Structure formats: C-alpha cells, structure tokens
Amino acid sequence: MKYFKNTELAKIYNVSEKSVRNWIQAAREGKLELQLYEKNDKLYIGDTSKNLSLIAQLVERGKKYKNTRSYKIVNPTSRFYELYSPEQILDIISALEIYREIPRQYNYFDGGASYWDRYVRRLASEETPNIFTSTLNLLDINQDYLDHLLSKYKRVNVIDVGVGNAWPVRGILEHLLDQKKMGRYIALDISSEMLQIAKKNIQEWFADKIHFEAKELDINYDRFSSVISNEYMTKEGKDTINLVLILGGTLGNLRSPDGAFKVIHDSMGRKDLLIHTIKLDTESTRRYFDFSADAQLQPLAPQYKFIVDLLNIDPSYYDVEMGYDEVHAHRYLRIRLRVALTINFDCDGIERAVDLNKDDTILMWRYVHQDMFATLEQLRRTEFNPLHASLTDDGEYLLSISRINSL
C-alpha cells in the first residue's frame, strides 16, 4: 500500500503534524476508520481514496471547530505594504501557505537592515572566531592563490552577492586598488535599505576611488548577467575578469540553495571566479543561536521579529523554538502558534487569507548544514568546478574558489 509521511499530509492539507498524529492515534483506538500502514514499527496513513475522503472531512470539521472557539484575526500593518512590492507580498503569502515559512530575505528591509548592520559590527569586534572574522581570515590567507588566478588580467570587477553592509569585502577592494586592478564594484541585494547601508560604508572607506553600483534583485530567481554583459563586447573585455563573492554562508539560509547556485552559475562567464565562504557542520555549529546585535539573549532577535511584527502577530500568540533538525540537516528558528490565526492580506484590491492552526509553526530562519565534502559536491552538482578549498584551523569555516564548468 502506498502511504503518506506525516509531513506530507501536513503540507497538503495545511494542518499541523500533531493533527496527523492525532488522526493516527484515533484510528488505532477505533475512533476513525482510517486505513493505516505499518513500516519499521511506525504507523502511517495509507494513500487510499477512502482515507482521502475522510481526511477532507476532518479538515473541514477542524475549520468549523476553530471558528466556534476563540481565535485571532490579524491584518498586516500599513508599513508592511509600504516596504514590499506586490510580487514580494505574493511570495510571502505563498511561502506561508505552502511551506509555513517567511523567506529569510524579507527580514533585511527597513529596520531589519539596520539591525543586521549592527549585528555584523558586533561580530567584527569579537575576539573569538565567528563567521565574519573567519571569513576575513580565510580571504587573507588565500590572497596569494587568488592573486595567481588574477595575474593574467588587468582589471577585476567585483560582484558582491547579498552584500549586507559590505564589511567582508573591504579588504579585497583595498588590495585590488593597491594593485591598480580595481574595476567595477557591483553590490546585489534584495533590500534597498541594505544597499544604502553598503553604499554609505563604501563611500566612507574609499571616497571617489570606487564607484558604487547597486542592483536590487532576488538571487533565488534573478540573474545578474545583464549587469556585466556589455563589458564582454568591448576591447578591454579580454583583459577583464569578474570576481563573484558569496561571503558568510548567505545561500545556506535559502529553501533551495542549489537553485540560487544555478542562477549565479548562469550569470557568470567562462573565465569568471566564484569565492564562497560557509560555516560548516560541527557539534558547536549545531548549538549556535546567538544572533543579537548587543550580545543579549532574546527569544526572537529583532531582525527575525521584524516581519512578525509587520504582520501584526502579537508575541502572546506564539512561542519561540530553536534547534537542529536531524532529518533536513539544518538549524532552525521558528514560532509555534498558541492560537488559531487568520492573516488577512489586502494588496492592490486583491484579498487573500492565510489560515493557520494552533500548534502550526512558522519557520523564521534556517541554516543548512554541510561538511566540506558535501559543500564541494554541491558546487559540482550545480555545474561549478572547484579549483581550491581552504579550512580555518578549527575546521568550522570553509572558503572555496570555483569556475563554471565549460566544454
């Protein structure tokens, strides 16, 4: 018999996994006429037409039951509609409906961008290794090898993917200026506020020595090839190389990191280089949840609470959970609802309601865990050719340098 995993049913019917477990328990006790399937001493709900019909009735009954009890209806704040475009709002709605998550990139807007800037500055001041200081360390100790790869080119353009506040790239830009090889600096980010912070820092550090170029895009979907393609057609193009940076493990926060790597791959030229840094999977990494800008432990740090507040979800409506998911191999930060909740969206006259049950979780942040070999395999899988890899002494951080595969 074909059967459903509990997570599959929860996603299909927008119910909690606890509800699915309750159905299975009721079927075991003879209270529901669900056909169960046993595998490895575990019970699952069979994929049968009778089961599907009964589940549909249970879901509808649950909605009616919810409506007869106390539950909350919220409307996003006016600021929510000011910050996000209609396309981004639709993406948030879809992520809530289908995946029960808020995509990480939408936390870098407005106050979220400022808080991230303060968080990175805090990391820069710490003496113990972290993703910021370890990234700088790896870039420094691998500079000679990078210079070797760049030696045949007169001009180096730097494309900074997910720029943040631009602090990690400062040393590379200074080095290229000293070598008189600095070409264009192009910052890419989904958040215009984040790009403004990066621009302010670049101008403060370099004045008019570097012209700051910015492009607002979502690396999940948007190629950046149009930004750099014209240069390939010029006489100077053969002496120019593009250095694409993904620093700080940005793609590990995404639901589909492979998809973003493919977008980056399809944006690059044959000779271009990709530098990628990442925090690797270790026992220490799995326990790390300190994301506060002021080193004060908080249930939900402001950069994650930011969008929850914009949606008007009161803190009394949820509990904060954090941990490591063995099945999906990622750390997570999520909220679990104490109440049934409906979020009513109204964007450009289009109304959508997202219904959430009590005990549903909303994922606020994830970080996919990989060891060095899995990371290099990911690069190969997304059609990159890793040329070089380097670890920090503690084995927790990795830098890789790659080109795209070409015939």
Side-chain angles (χ1 to χ4, degrees):
M1 179 191 294
K2 291 178 65 179
Y3 66 94
F4 293 102
K5 294 179 180 178
N6 293 0
T7 53
E8 292 173 333
L9 279 177
K11 182 178 293 186
I12 292 169
Y13 290 99
N14 279 339
V15 298
S16 65
E17 290 183 48
K18 182 180 178 182
S19 294
V20 179
R21 292 194 296 270
N22 288 341
W23 295 342
I24 293 173
Q25 183 61 31
R28 289 184 63 187
E29 296 172 357
K31 298 176 182 178
L32 284 177
E33 295 183 1
L34 287 170
Q35 295 173 280
L36 302 180
Y37 177 78
E38 185 173 352
K39 182 178 181 181
N40 298 329
D41 297 324
K42 292 185 177 180
L43 290 173
Y44 300 93
I45 295 176
D47 184 359
T48 67
S49 57
K50 179 181 177 181
N51 279 354
L52 294 177
S53 176
L54 182 53
I55 290 171
Q57 295 175 37
L58 290 169
V59 172
E60 284 304 310
R61 191 186 308 164
K63 289 180 180 178
K64 292 178 182 178
Y65 177 70
K66 179 187 78 173
N67 290 335
T68 64
R69 295 176 60 89
S70 174
Y71 79 103
K72 305 299 180 182
I73 300 175
V74 299
N75 299 288
T77 65
S78 59
R79 186 61 180 155
F80 174 83
Y81 294 106
E82 293 168 4
L83 283 179
Y84 303 114
S85 69
E87 293 78 12
Q88 291 166 344
I89 291 171
L90 181 59
D91 192 34
I92 292 169
I93 293 171
S94 297
L96 281 169
E97 288 181 330
I98 300 170
Y99 301 107
R100 292 295 193 261
E101 73 173 86
I102 295 174
R104 177 72 183 96
Q105 60 267 31
Y106 296 120
N107 285 283
Y108 294 120
F109 287 63
D110 198 46
S114 299
Y115 195 89
W116 178 256
D117 178 46
R118 296 200 302 275
Y119 173 63
V120 173
R121 290 172 184 267
R122 175 206 146 187
L123 294 182
S125 67
E126 290 183 348
E127 295 182 2
T128 54
N130 57 53
I131 187 63
F132 176 78
T133 56
S134 295
T135 292
L136 296 188
N137 180 35
L138 285 167
L139 289 169
D140 183 55
I141 63 179
N142 288 282
Q143 188 63 65
D144 286 346
Y145 179 70
L146 183 59
D147 284 344
H148 167 71
L149 294 175
L150 300 176
S151 60
K152 65 178 73 172
Y153 302 100
K154 296 179 180 178
R155 177 179 163 92
V156 181
N157 297 328
V158 176
I159 296 93
D160 201 348
V161 180
V163 61
N165 63 3
W167 273 44
V169 76
R170 180 177 180 177
I172 291 178
L173 301 182
E174 288 175 341
H175 183 74
L176 290 172
L177 283 171
D178 289 343
Q179 291 194 323
K180 303 189 185 321
K181 285 191 172 187
M182 185 67 214
R184 300 166 65 193
Y185 175 65
I186 305 167
L188 310 178
D189 208 287
I190 192 173
S191 165
S192 60
E193 291 84 1
M194 204 80 257
L195 289 168
Q196 285 300 315
I197 291 171
K199 180 179 182 179
K200 178 177 178 294
N201 286 335
I202 293 294
Q203 290 177 339
E204 180 181 318
W205 298 330
F206 301 108
D208 58 354
K209 293 179 182 177
I210 291 180
H211 173 63
F212 183 89
E213 298 181 53
K215 185 170 179 61
E216 196 174 320
L217 57 72
D218 187 341
I219 200 60
N220 287 287
Y221 317 108
D222 303 326
R223 296 182 187 179
F224 53 85
S225 47
S226 61
V227 180
I228 55 178
S229 58
N230 289 343
E231 233 164 325
Y232 286 113
M233 309 302 292
T234 65
K235 185 165 55 176
E236 293 78 17
K238 63 182 177 61
D239 294 322
T240 301
I241 187 171
N242 297 308
L243 188 61
V244 181
L245 307 177
I246 315 173
L247 305 179
T250 302
L251 302 192
N253 298 144
L254 304 180
R255 185 169 59 249
S256 177
D258 278 19
F261 270 113
K262 286 293 292 178
V263 170
I264 293 166
H265 172 280
D266 294 345
S267 301
M268 292 173 58
R270 179 179 55 82
K271 63 186 179 182
D272 295 343
L273 292 171
L274 171 70
I275 297 183
H276 174 227
T277 63
I278 189 173
K279 187 177 178 72
L280 296 173
D281 181 31
T282 66
E283 286 300 319
S284 173
T285 301
R286 295 183 184 194
R287 297 190 299 269
Y288 186 83
F289 288 93
D290 180 9
F291 307 124
S292 173
D294 54 9
Q296 298 296 313
L297 294 179
Q298 303 174 59
L300 193 61
Q303 69 262 45
Y304 305 110
K305 191 172 180 290
F306 168 72
I307 196 167
V308 178
D309 290 342
L310 287 176
L311 292 172
N312 243 344
I313 303 176
D314 191 88
S316 65
Y317 297 170
Y318 60 83
D319 293 310
V320 180
E321 299 178 346
M322 58 184 69
Y324 179 76
D325 185 330
E326 295 278 356
V327 176
H328 299 99
H330 67 234
R331 271 178 295 154
Y332 62 82
L333 182 64
R334 65 193 184 196
I335 60 173
R336 183 177 295 276
L337 295 177
R338 297 177 180 174
V339 296
L341 184 69
T342 295
I343 309 173
N344 287 326
F345 293 89
D346 185 355
C347 180
D348 287 349
I350 299 174
E351 298 181 2
R352 291 278 292 273
V354 175
D355 292 316
L356 301 164
N357 294 313
K358 181 182 178 181
D359 285 327
D360 275 357
T361 60
I362 301 175
L363 185 69
M364 303 305 303
W365 172 87
R366 71 159 64 77
Y367 189 86
V368 176
H369 279 236
Q370 298 179 149
D371 61 18
M372 179 180 71
F373 301 104
T375 301
L376 296 179
E377 174 54 33
Q378 181 180 51
L379 288 165
R380 294 189 182 97
R381 187 170 64 243
T382 52
E383 299 185 64
F384 284 95
N385 178 26
L387 305 175
H388 177 77
S390 175
L391 285 171
T392 51
D393 290 343
D394 59 14
E396 291 200 0
Y397 301 90
L398 171 75
L399 175 146
S400 62
I401 303 176
S402 308
R403 279 198 171 103
I404 65 173
N405 279 335
S406 59
L407 297 177

